[in-house]
C-alpha cells in the first residue's frame, strides 16, 4: 500500500506540501507501514490538493480537496478506524471525465513519482529508445513518425517527421536536438505539467529524435519561471546519467547523447524557434528570416531539430505502439491526441487530453463542467494571445487544425480561456493585444508600431472615446501587420481583434456609438444610478464611497454625482436594498 500526494505547481499552491508533511507525520505516529510519495499533476487542478491511496492489489482511491482534517480521516480509514474519509473521495462525474480522456502525453502524470526513474522504467520507460537502437535504423524511426501523422504541438502543427528528416539529411557531424519548453501563453500550462509530472518522457523523446537525426547533444530551453519543472528535469537527467541511459555508447552501441538545460528569461518571442536559437547563443531573442531553416543552419549554424514538450512526450508511445496506432486517433488532417489547458470562467479548470476531432462543446461543457455558477458561456479564446475568440454558437466546431483555422482561431499550444456573459469582448481583445504588443521583439516595424497603434485604438474604445471608422481602421491595420511581420508573433497578433470583430461586432459598435459596455467591464463607460423608489436614505453607500460622489441626507433619497464617481462599485456592494444600478 502507498499514498501519493499531487505536488505539481497547482497542488503546491493549494497546500499539497502541508498535506504531504502531515501525512508523513500521521503515518509515523499511527505506526502504518505505508510510504508517502510525491506525484505530479493529474490534470484536475481545480480539485487540488489530491491524494491517491493504492492498496496491495493495485486499486487506487482518489481523494480531492484534501485538508489537514481530511488527511487524518483518510489515515483513520486505512487503519480500520471509524472515519469520514468517504466524503472526500472524488465525485463520480470527475472520475468519469478523467477516465473518458485518451492520455498519451499525460499518461504518467499524476500516477508516478517524477523524481524516481524506477517508476518510469516500470511503466515501459526507455523501452522505446532501446528498441530504436537495437532494432531500427534512423530512417525507420522517421518512417514510424511519418506513419503516425504526429504534427508539432507547439502551435504550428508542422509534420514532425519532415523536420527530423530535414535535420538528418543536412550535412555535418555536429547536430543538436532542442526541446522548446518556453511556454509563454497566458492560461497555458500543458508543458509545465508534463515536465513536472513525467520528465523522463521528454528525455526519452529527445533521445529518439537525436538517434534519428544523428545528434549527440540535446538542450531543453525552459523558462526560468518554471523552477519546479527545472528542478525535476535536473534530477531526471542526473538519474538517467547514473543509470547510463544518457552518456557515451548507450545500450552497447555507438549512439551517444547528453542533454543540458538552458533557463530562458521569459520572453514570449523566444517560443519562435529562430529567436530561441538566438537566445541559446547569448544573443537578443529575435527571429530571423527563413530559409535557412534550423534543420539546415540552427544552433551555432549547425543542423538542429526543435520540437516542443508535448511533441516529444508523444514519441516514446508512438515507437512502442506503432505509428498506425497513433494515426487511428483523430481526424484526416489532425492525428492523435491533444492536451488542452482549461482556464477562465470554467467550472472545472485543469488539463484534459482528448483525441483530435472532439468538439469544443465537449471540452467546455463535458470535461470543464460548463461555467462557474451555471451562467451562460459567451466564447472561448483558443490558441493563446495569438489565437481567436470562438463564440458559443460555434462550439460544435471539432478540434482540428483546419476546422479551427476556418473560424479565425488557431490550435496554438492548447490554451483555452473560457468567457461568460460578464466578459467584454472588446476588453478581451485589448487584453490579448496588450500582451503581444509588450512581447514584440521590435525587429519588424509592422509588429512593433502596428500593434501599438491597434492597442491605442482599443484603449480609446474601452475608455469611451471611440469614433466612427475605428473598426475599419483596426481591420486594415490587422491585414498590414499580418503581411509585414517576420515571425508568427506579429502575423497572428491581430487574431483576437479580428475574431471579436467578426463575431461580436455589435459590442464594438455599442462601445463606439452608444458609449455602452453591456458586460459592465469597461469602467469609463459605466453609469451608476440610485433608484429613488428603492432608496431609504440609510447612507451606507455614501459612507463606503471613496470619492464622496454620493449626495443626500439621512433618510432621504440619495443621488450619484457623475463628475466625482470613480466607478469603483463600492456603492453597489454596500446597498442592502438593491437601490444602486449600473448602466
Amino acid at each position: 500500500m502507498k499514498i501519493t500526494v499531487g505536488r505539481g505547481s497547482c497542488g503546491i499552491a493549494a497546500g499539497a506540501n502541508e498535506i504531504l508533511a502531515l501525512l508523513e507525520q500521521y503515518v509515523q505516529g499511527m505506526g502504518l507501514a505505508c510510504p508517502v510519495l510525491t506525484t505530479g499533476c493529474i490534470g484536475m487542478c481545480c480539485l487540488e490538493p489530491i491524494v491517491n491511496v493504492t492498496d496491495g492489489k493495485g486499486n487506487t482511491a482518489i481523494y480531492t480537496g484534501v485538508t489537514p482534517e481530511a488527511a487524518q480521516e483518510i489515515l483513520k480509514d486505512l487503519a480500520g478506524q471509524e472515519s469520514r474519509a468517504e466524503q472526500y473521495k472524488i465525485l463520480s462525474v470527475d472520475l468519469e471525465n478523467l477516465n473518458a480522456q485518451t492520455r498519451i502525453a499525460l499518461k504518467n502524470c499524476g500516477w508516478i513519482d517524477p523524481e524516481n526513474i524506477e517508476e518510469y522504467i516500470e511503466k515501459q520507460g526507455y523501452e522505446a529508445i532501446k528498441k530504436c537502437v537495437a532494432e531500427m535504423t534512423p530512417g525507420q524511426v522517421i518512417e514510424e513518425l511519418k506513419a503516425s501523422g504526429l504534427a508539432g504541438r507547439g502551435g504550428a502543427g508542422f509534420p514532425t517527421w519532415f523536420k527530423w528528416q530535414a535535420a538528418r539529411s543536412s550535412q555535418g557531424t555536429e547536430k543538436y536536438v532542442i526541446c522548446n519548453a518556453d511556454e509563454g501563453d497566458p492560461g497555458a500550462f500543458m508543458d509545465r505539467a508534463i515536465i513536472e509530472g513525467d520528465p523522463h518522457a521528454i528525455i526519452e523523446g529527445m533521445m529518439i529524435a537525436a538517434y534519428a537525426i544523428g545528434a549527440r547533444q540535446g538542450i531543453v530551453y525552459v523558462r526560468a519561471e518554471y523552477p519546479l519543472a527545472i528542478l525535476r528535469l535536473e534530477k531526471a537527467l542526473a538519474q538517467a546519467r547514473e543509470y547510463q541511459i544518457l552518456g557515451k555508447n548507450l545500450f552497447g552501441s555507438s549512439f551517444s547523447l547528453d542533454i543540458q538545460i538552458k533557463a530562458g528569461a521569459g520572453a514570449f518571442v523566444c517560443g519562435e524557434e529562430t529567436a530561441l536559437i538566438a537566445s541559446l547563443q547569448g544573443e537578443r531573442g529575435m527571429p530571423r528570416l527563413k530559409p535557412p531553416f534550423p534543420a539546415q543552419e540552427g544552433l551555432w549554424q549547425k543542423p538542429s531539430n526543435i520540437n516542443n514538450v508535448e511533441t516529444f512526450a508523444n514519441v516514446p508511445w508512438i515507437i512502442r505502439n506503432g505509428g498506425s496506432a497513433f494515426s487511428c486517433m483523430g481526424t484526416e488532417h489532425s492525428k492523435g491526441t491533444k492536451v488542452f489547458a482549461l482556464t477562465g470562467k470554467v467550472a472545472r479548470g485543469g488539463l484534459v487530453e482528448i483525441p483530435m476531432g472532439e468538439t469544443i462543446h465537449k471540452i467546455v461543457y463535458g470535461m470543464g463542467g460548463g461555467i462557474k455558477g451555471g451562467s451562460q458561456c459567451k466564447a472561448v479564446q483558443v490558441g493563446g494571445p495569438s489565437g481567436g475568440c470562438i463564440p458559443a454558437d460555434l462550439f460544435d466546431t471539432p478540434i482540428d487544425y483546419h476546422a479551427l483555422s476556418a473560424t479565425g482561431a488557431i490550435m496554438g499550444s492548447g490554451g483555452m480561456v473560457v468567457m461568460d456573459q460578464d466578459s467584454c469582448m472588446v476588453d478581451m481583445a485589448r487584453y490579448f493585444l496588450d500582451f503581444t504588443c509588450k512581447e514584440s521583439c521590435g525587429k519588424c516595424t509592422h509588429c512593433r508600431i502596428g500593434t501599438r497603434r491597434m492597442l491605442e485604438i482599443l484603449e480609446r474604445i474601452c475608455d469611451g472615446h471611440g469614433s466612427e471608422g475605428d473598426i475599419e481602421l483596426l481591420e486594415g491595420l490587422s491585414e498590414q501587420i499580418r503581411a509585414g511581420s517576420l515571425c508568427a508573433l506579429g502575423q497572428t497578433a491581430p487574431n483576437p481583434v479580428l475574431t471579436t470583430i467578426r463575431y461580436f461586432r455589435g459590442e464594438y459598435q455599442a462601445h463606439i456609438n452608444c458609449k455602452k459596455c453591456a458586460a459592465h467591464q469597461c469602467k469609463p463607460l459605466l453609469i451608476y444610478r440610485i433608484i429613488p423608489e428603492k432608496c431609504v436614505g440609510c447612507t451606507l453607500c455614501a459612507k463606503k464611497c471613496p470619492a464622496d460622489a454620493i449626495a443626500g441626507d439621512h433618510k432621504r433619497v440619495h443621488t450619484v454625482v457623475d463628475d466625482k464617481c470613480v466607478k469603483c462599485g463600492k456603492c453597489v456592494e454596500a446597498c442592502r436594498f438593491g437601490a444602486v444600478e449600473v448602466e
Side-chain angles (χ1 to χ4, degrees):
M1 180 177 291
K2 68 176 181 179
I3 299 172
T4 55
V5 181
R7 291 180 62 243
S9 291
C10 52
I12 291 172
N17 283 347
E18 178 189 4
I19 298 302
L20 178 72
L22 286 172
L23 284 170
E24 290 174 335
Q25 177 186 334
Y26 295 156
V27 164
Q28 186 176 8
M30 297 171 70
L32 295 173
C34 184
V36 182
L37 307 171
T38 285
T39 188
C41 173
I42 200 170
M44 299 181 292
C45 307
C46 60
L47 302 179
E48 297 283 4
I50 296 175
V51 173
N52 296 341
V53 178
T54 305
D55 63 22
K57 297 179 180 179
N59 301 313
T60 300
I62 302 175
Y63 299 89
T64 63
V66 176
T67 61
E69 295 75 21
Q72 286 184 311
E73 296 299 322
I74 291 168
L75 291 181
K76 283 181 183 179
D77 185 57
L78 291 182
Q81 302 173 15
E82 183 178 347
S83 77
R84 295 178 289 108
E86 193 69 25
Q87 71 185 65
Y88 299 103
K89 281 190 175 180
I90 187 172
L91 297 176
S92 59
V93 63
D94 293 310
L95 188 58
E96 288 170 7
N97 283 329
L98 180 63
N99 292 334
Q101 297 180 40
T102 303
R103 293 165 70 96
I104 294 177
L106 298 179
K107 176 178 177 287
N108 293 326
C109 294
W111 298 110
I112 68 170
D113 183 350
E115 299 182 15
N116 186 344
I117 190 173
E118 292 287 353
E119 293 202 16
Y120 180 71
I121 291 173
E122 287 176 7
K123 298 289 185 180
Q124 298 180 294
Y126 294 112
E127 287 185 8
I129 181 59
K130 290 179 182 177
K131 177 181 178 181
C132 290
V133 174
E135 304 175 19
M136 303 173 73
T137 65
Q140 288 173 328
V141 173
I142 293 173
E143 282 300 313
E144 203 67 61
L145 263 291
K146 183 177 182 180
S148 75
L150 175 65
R153 297 302 194 240
F158 198 76
T160 303
W161 76 270
F162 192 90
K163 295 179 75 170
W164 290 20
Q165 182 61 54
R168 174 166 176 74
S169 299
S170 294
Q171 297 298 312
T173 56
E174 187 178 356
K175 299 180 181 181
Y176 295 92
V177 59
I178 301 169
C179 177
N180 182 351
D182 190 57
E183 184 176 52
D185 292 8
F189 48 95
M190 301 78 61
D191 292 352
R192 186 200 73 203
I194 293 172
I195 296 176
E196 290 177 355
D198 195 12
H200 287 282
I202 313 306
I203 296 171
E204 187 173 11
M206 292 180 69
M207 292 181 73
I208 295 168
Y211 176 74
I213 73 170
R216 298 171 63 89
Q217 180 64 46
I219 302 169
V220 181
Y221 185 95
V222 57
R223 55 181 40 233
E225 293 94 331
Y226 284 178
L228 182 60
I230 292 173
L231 176 65
R232 289 185 177 162
L233 190 57
E234 286 175 340
K235 288 184 177 180
L237 288 170
Q239 290 171 350
R241 295 185 190 107
E242 181 184 349
Y243 278 65
Q244 297 183 330
I245 290 171
L246 282 177
K248 294 182 178 180
N249 303 121
L250 300 173
F251 316 119
S253 73
S254 60
F255 173 53
S256 301
L257 178 73
D258 196 20
I259 298 174
Q260 306 296 326
I261 298 172
K262 166 66 177 178
F268 179 65
V269 73
C270 286
E272 196 278 336
E273 57 185 12
T274 59
L276 184 155
I277 288 171
S279 180
L280 280 175
Q281 295 176 164
E283 303 165 6
R284 182 177 176 182
M286 300 177 78
R288 63 162 173 77
L289 283 170
K290 294 182 287 188
F293 294 95
Q296 301 162 317
E297 292 183 20
L299 183 62
W300 309 120
Q301 288 73 55
K302 305 297 182 182
S304 305
N305 177 79
I306 304 177
N307 291 118
N308 91 316
V309 169
E310 187 183 341
T311 307
F312 280 125
N314 280 290
V315 172
W317 189 97
I318 291 171
I319 296 299
R320 287 197 308 269
N321 296 277
S324 59
F326 191 83
S327 66
C328 285
M329 296 178 280
T331 66
E332 181 183 357
H333 302 291
S334 303
K335 303 297 185 180
T337 63
K338 181 73 187 78
V339 180
F340 289 94
L342 273 174
T343 59
K345 299 295 183 70
V346 69
R348 294 193 290 267
L351 295 174
V352 298
E353 184 174 3
I354 59 166
M356 294 278 201
E358 296 286 5
T359 65
I360 298 173
H361 186 279
K362 180 171 182 178
I363 296 177
V364 174
Y365 285 96
M367 306 291 185
I371 305 299
K372 291 178 182 176
S375 63
Q376 291 295 312
C377 184
K378 190 173 190 177
V380 60
Q381 172 80 5
V382 180
S386 301
C389 286
I390 299 176
D393 59 5
L394 291 181
F395 276 15
D396 286 335
T397 301
I399 302 298
D400 175 286
Y401 286 104
H402 288 65
L404 288 179
S405 178
T407 69
I410 59 174
M411 182 81 72
S413 59
M416 278 195 176
V417 182
V418 180
M419 291 163 270
D420 66 3
Q421 294 300 318
D422 291 331
S423 301
C424 171
M425 304 314 293
V426 184
D427 185 56
M428 289 303 299
R430 181 206 59 77
Y431 168 80
F432 284 115
L433 194 68
D434 178 68
F435 177 86
T436 49
C437 181
K438 288 175 179 175
E439 293 295 335
S440 171
C441 74
K443 186 172 186 177
C444 306
T445 303
H446 287 82
C447 181
R448 181 181 71 250
I449 298 177
T451 55
R452 171 57 59 185
R453 296 290 85 84
M454 287 184 69
L455 180 60
E456 289 170 354
I457 296 168
L458 289 169
E459 288 174 338
R460 281 198 292 104
I461 294 173
C462 291
D463 287 342
H465 303 301
S467 57
E468 196 69 37
D470 277 349
I471 297 176
E472 291 73 20
L473 183 55
L474 285 170
E475 291 173 325
L477 283 169
S478 294
E479 294 307 318
Q480 293 178 40
I481 293 168
R482 277 181 162 181
S485 295
L486 177 62
C487 81
L489 188 151
Q491 293 164 5
T492 60
N495 283 348
V497 179
L498 290 173
T499 51
T500 50
I501 291 174
R502 177 177 175 180
Y503 298 116
F504 301 95
R505 196 181 190 93
E507 290 195 28
Y508 280 83
Q509 292 170 335
H511 279 66
I512 294 170
N513 301 326
C514 307
K515 311 302 179 188
K516 297 287 185 182
C517 175
H520 296 165
Q521 295 300 313
C522 299
K523 285 188 176 182
L525 300 182
L526 302 183
I527 300 175
Y528 287 79
R529 293 279 184 262
I530 294 177
I531 305 170
E533 294 78 10
K534 293 185 178 181
C535 181
V536 298
C538 68
T539 72
L540 280 177
C541 58
K543 291 176 181 177
K544 293 291 184 180
C545 179
D548 194 25
I550 296 179
D553 297 326
H554 183 60
K555 293 188 177 181
R556 293 185 179 275
V557 174
H558 289 47
T559 57
V560 177
V561 182
D562 290 337
D563 291 344
K564 292 184 176 181
C565 181
V566 294
K567 327 288 188 182
C568 66
K570 294 292 184 182
C571 53
V572 177
E573 296 174 9
C575 184
R576 301 173 182 173
F577 307 98
V580 185
E581 65 177 1
V582 186
E583 299 177 3

